């Protein structure tokens, strides 16, 4: 049943956004990855997920905000269908640290889709990255970090709208990266953000 | 469906297309063998990709005709949807247009095709040019963003007219009541689509073989007078040879085929002008080797309504 729902969601995403995927120095395979992308729409993770080959989708978990995805049908979609890792946007002192939840979600066989801007933008710019990507990269140097640029999805379902409209979108995956041995946080986050900006030209 | 398969004329029409595809495939493979070591492989690969896509498109089109009315209504509704999606993607809309776009895609477009299906000619012919025309700018005005207002409204109206209204005239051929031609209207649809597409292909072929004098180099570097004249004349002749499948006399068929090919040319040229203005080569990449859906049906957009109205005025 979940598989059918997932297929349905991918089908709807394709109907709205087309199936345009570009790979620039990236070959999808079973290795563990952290895909990080720009964020402008609730549909973003569906698009990245749908852009992966079907056999990799089952092992790839989107990271989503707990307050939005933890209720009713959204919970069914997020947790059951997409196997999302839910994190608090405003962590309290009692809750486990978001990084620990992410590392736990990654485990030894899953991949993650994360949006390091932390919140949705209007699609015209990419906000500075939060530090989570850096800390994940440091904690799991064996996992490749894959930049992904999502184009035009902000026009399909802009922030604040409830119904989508059809519009051709594309997902471009870039070359795998790692945190350098002596690279500091801000240098790495800037490099990662630039990797997405460079994919804009493709 | 069974009746159509048993019908000898229908078999001949489909057989003709099948023969054309087989010949094209053989020629394409021969060119590929001969050209293996030369540099210009992209052109040959593109040619063969196009031929493969023609097989798929022909099968889809043939199946839609065999189901009688409903299949072609669904097929052309889907083509309109995908073409409009390509058109709007290249149109700089703003967030305030979102609701208007939702209506355009999910209410007006399905309604237009429902009217084709229901054969309600009166409403079909005014839904988009009257109601849609007034609705789009009103809905955008309610959203309250005046930035480039006229430009945004008219681009959405244009997309709706070209991709939905014009295209919907192709399956609307099924609603025409032509004396002595009852139940055979699918052949008109076949006639129109085959001639438009053949004319496109033949203009391309004649242009590649003899093309020297460009018609409008800025808008379309590949369209030449030689290609245009050769394509229009040869497609008109082939169209004329199908007179037996139409309700027209030989000379009338020739006139219709001529109008269809010229309108198809104008459609291709006009839609190219929009692409050049937007700075792109193709509308999309939905069909291997051909570009987007709109790249393939741009000529039908212009030929469809004119063929529909000429037939309606003179033959019903």
């Amino acid at each position: 049943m979940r598989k059918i729902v997932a297929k349905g969601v991918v089908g709807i995403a394709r109907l709205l956004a087309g199936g345009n995927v570009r790979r620039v120095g990236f070959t999808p395979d079973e290795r563990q990855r952290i895909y990080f992308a720009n964020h402008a729409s609730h549909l973003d993770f569906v698009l990245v997920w749908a852009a992966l080959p079907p056999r990799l989708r089952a092992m790839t978990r989107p990271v989503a905000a707990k307050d939005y995805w933890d209720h009713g049908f959204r919970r069914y979609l997020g947790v059951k269908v997409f196997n999302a890792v839910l994190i608090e946007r405003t962590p309290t002192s009692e809750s486990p640290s978001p990084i620990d939840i992410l590392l736990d979600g990654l485990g030894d066989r899953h991949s993650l889709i994360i949006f390091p801007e932390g919140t949705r933008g209007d699609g015209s710019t990419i906000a500075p990255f939060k530090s989570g990507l850096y800390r994940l990269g440091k904690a799991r140097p064996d996992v490749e970090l894959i930049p992904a640029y999502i184009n035009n999805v902000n026009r399909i379902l802009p922030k604040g709208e409830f119904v989508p409209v059809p519009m051709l979108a594309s997902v471009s995956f870039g070359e795998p990266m790692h945190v350098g041995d002596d690279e500091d946080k801000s240098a790495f986050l800037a490099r990662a953000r630039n990797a997405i900006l460079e994919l804009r030209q493709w | 469906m069974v009746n159509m398969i048993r019908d000898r004329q229908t078999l001949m029409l489909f057989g003709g297309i099948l023969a054309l595809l087989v010949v094209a495939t053989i020629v394409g493979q021969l060119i590929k063998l001969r050209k293996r070591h030369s540099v210009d492989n992209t052109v040959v690969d593109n040619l063969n990709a196009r031929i493969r896509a023609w097989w798929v498109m022909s099968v889809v089109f043939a199946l839609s005709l065999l189901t009688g009315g409903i299949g072609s209504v669904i097929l052309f509704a889907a083509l309109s949807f995908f073409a409009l999606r390509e058109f709007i993607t290249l149109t700089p809309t703003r967030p305030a247009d979102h609701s208007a776009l939702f209506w355009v895609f999910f209410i007006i477009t399905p309604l237009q095709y429902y009217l084709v299906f229901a054969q309600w000619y009166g409403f079909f012919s005014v839904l988009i040019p009257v109601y849609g025309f007034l609705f789009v700018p009103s809905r955008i005005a309610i959203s309250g963003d005046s930035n480039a207002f006229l430009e945004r409204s008219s681009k959405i109206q244009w997309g709706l007219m070209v991709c939905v209204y014009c295209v919907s005239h192709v399956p609307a051929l099924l609603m025409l009541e032509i004396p002595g031609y009852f139940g055979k209207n699918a052949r008109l649809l076949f006639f129109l689509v085959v001639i438009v597409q053949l004319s496109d292909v033949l203009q391309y072929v004649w242009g590649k073989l003899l093309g020297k004098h460009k018609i409008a180099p800025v808008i379309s570097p590949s369209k030449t007078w030689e290609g245009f004249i050769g394509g229009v004349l040869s497609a008109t002749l082939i169209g004329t040879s199908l007179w037996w499948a139409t309700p027209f006399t030989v000379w009338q068929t020739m006139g219709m085929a001529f109008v269809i090919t010229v309108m198809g040319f104008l459609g291709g040229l006009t839609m190219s002008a929009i692409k050049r203005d937007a700075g792109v080569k193709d509308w999309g990449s939905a069909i291997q080797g051909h570009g987007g859906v709109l790249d393939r049906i741009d000529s039908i957009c212009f030929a469809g309504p004119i063929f529909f109205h000429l037939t309606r005025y003179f033959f019903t």
Side-chain angles (χ1 to χ4, degrees):
Chain A
M1 184 62 197
R2 287 173 205 167
K3 276 192 178 162
I4 297 171
V5 175
K7 278 225 166 85
V9 173
V10 169
I12 292 170
R14 289 261 160 85
L15 193 65
L16 291 169
N20 233 331
V21 180
R22 298 183 187 84
R23 299 192 186 112
V24 188
F26 162 70
T27 323
D29 58 36
E30 265 86 16
R31 264 177 284 181
Q32 275 189 286
R33 257 92 184 232
I34 295 173
Y35 306 92
F36 63 98
N38 56 315
H39 198 19
S41 168
H42 282 310
L43 288 178
D44 282 337
F45 84 76
V46 181
L47 263 279
V48 176
W49 201 75
L52 294 168
R55 70 198 150 84
L56 297 189
R57 289 178 198 154
M59 60 173 279
T60 305
R61 311 179 65 182
V63 174
K66 197 167 188 175
D67 55 276
Y68 183 81
W69 289 96
D70 211 9
H71 312 281
F73 183 63
R74 281 184 212 153
R75 187 182 159 76
Y76 173 74
L77 268 189
V79 179
K80 299 280 190 219
V81 176
F82 292 105
N83 194 14
V85 181
L86 298 184
I87 52 172
E88 307 270 2
R89 264 193 273 217
T90 45
T92 53
S93 49
E94 303 98 76
S95 57
S97 98
I99 294 299
D100 289 338
I101 300 176
L102 291 183
L103 288 172
D104 199 39
L106 199 54
D108 55 6
R109 60 183 200 93
H110 285 107
S111 295
L112 296 180
I113 301 172
I114 70 170
F115 302 101
E117 291 168 271
T119 182
R120 286 172 297 153
D122 63 2
S124 58
T125 51
I126 298 178
F129 283 3
K130 300 204 164 162
S131 63
L133 182 65
Y134 171 78
R135 288 157 71 191
L136 283 172
K138 269 287 190 198
R140 289 293 300 271
D142 57 313
V143 176
E144 288 183 337
L145 311 176
I146 313 284
Y149 175 63
I150 311 170
N151 184 32
N152 232 7
V153 179
N154 54 304
R155 290 175 72 199
I156 297 178
L157 187 65
K159 211 170 173 168
E161 295 286 348
F162 298 100
V163 289
V165 301
M167 201 80 71
L168 290 171
S170 66
V171 179
S172 312
F173 293 103
E175 268 179 59
M177 34 192 310
H178 293 279
V179 181
D181 288 336
D182 44 8
E183 195 171 26
D184 73 10
K185 192 172 81 179
S186 58
F188 169 76
L189 292 176
R191 185 161 71 94
R193 185 170 167 271
N194 269 330
I196 293 187
L197 285 170
E198 269 172 35
L199 287 171
R200 276 187 156 177
Q201 302 155 17
W202 291 84
Chain B
M1 183 159 171
V2 177
N3 283 340
M4 276 192 86
I5 289 178
R6 284 202 191 132
D7 180 87
R8 200 157 148 259
Q9 292 194 349
T10 310
L11 278 180
M12 280 170 73
L13 290 174
F14 286 144
I17 298 302
L18 186 67
L20 264 180
L21 286 171
V22 169
V23 169
T25 306
I26 293 171
V27 170
Q29 293 304 317
L30 285 179
I31 295 176
K32 190 176 163 191
L33 284 176
R34 258 186 60 193
K35 277 237 177 178
R36 182 159 283 174
H37 302 292
S38 76
V39 269
D40 210 5
N41 266 334
T42 50
V43 176
V44 181
D45 289 346
N46 177 267
L47 177 75
N48 283 309
R50 278 172 187 248
I51 294 171
R52 275 196 300 278
W54 276 121
W55 276 98
V56 179
M57 290 189 281
S58 305
V59 169
V60 171
F61 182 57
L63 286 178
S64 85
L65 285 185
L66 287 174
T67 62
I70 185 72
S72 10
V73 176
I74 292 171
L75 172 66
F76 282 89
L79 291 177
S80 279
F81 180 88
F82 291 126
L84 187 62
R85 187 175 73 171
E86 289 166 358
F87 190 95
I88 298 295
T89 300
L90 286 184
T91 301
T93 58
R94 293 167 62 87
D97 304 334
H98 196 78
S99 286
L101 288 174
F102 179 81
W103 276 81
V104 162
F105 275 105
F106 294 117
I107 312 284
I108 299 177
T109 302
L111 182 55
Q112 175 73 5
Y113 279 92
Y114 169 73
L115 296 172
V116 173
F117 173 72
Q119 313 213 336
W120 186 351
Y121 175 76
F123 197 11
F124 154 85
S125 59
V126 295
L127 173 70
I128 288 170
V130 178
Y131 294 92
F133 176 79
L134 300 174
F135 173 81
V136 168
S138 312
R139 185 64 193 84
I140 297 178
I142 291 172
S143 295
D145 179 357
S146 67
N147 207 310
F149 180 82
L150 186 56
E151 200 182 323
R152 281 155 51 214
S153 315
S154 13
K155 282 180 174 170
I156 296 174
Q157 288 167 331
W158 230 86
L160 202 51
M161 278 300 286
V162 164
C163 303
V164 183
Y165 186 68
C166 287
V167 175
S168 70
H169 282 74
V170 181
L173 286 166
L174 295 170
M175 71 165 88
L176 295 177
E177 285 172 15
I178 303 165
Y181 201 65
F182 180 76
K184 298 181 182 172
N185 285 24
R187 285 174 211 173
L188 279 182
L189 230 141
F190 181 96
F191 179 75
L192 168 69
V193 171
V194 167
I195 292 183
V196 169
Q197 300 298 344
L198 266 182
S199 167
D200 276 7
V201 173
L202 289 168
Q203 285 180 40
Y204 170 87
V205 171
W206 284 108
K208 284 267 171 211
L209 292 176
L210 306 173
K212 280 204 182 69
H213 304 85
K214 293 183 175 167
I215 297 177
V218 177
I219 287 174
S220 179
S222 61
K223 288 195 167 61
T224 58
W225 283 108
E226 292 82 355
F228 169 63
I229 294 169
V232 164
L233 289 183
S234 45
T236 302
L237 282 180
I238 296 174
T240 311
S241 73
L242 297 176
W243 98 94
W244 45 268
T246 72
F248 319 130
T249 66
V250 175
W251 290 104
Q252 287 165 342
T253 310
M254 185 181 263
M256 285 291 195
F258 180 74
V259 172
I260 288 172
T261 52
V262 171
M263 287 313 298
F265 167 79
L266 294 176
L269 192 67
T270 307
M271 299 309 283
S272 285
I274 300 175
K275 282 188 281 186
R276 288 306 96 79
D277 188 33
V280 296
K281 191 183 152 289
D282 290 327
W283 286 102
S285 54
I287 312 174
Q288 272 282 310
H290 293 259
V293 170
L294 202 42
D295 291 292
R296 196 58 279 137
I297 65 168
D298 51 6
S299 37
I300 294 183
C301 294
F302 277 48
I306 302 298
F307 179 60
F308 175 89
H309 283 292
L310 286 179
T311 309
R312 182 170 183 275
Y313 185 78
F314 289 109
F315 296 92
T316 65

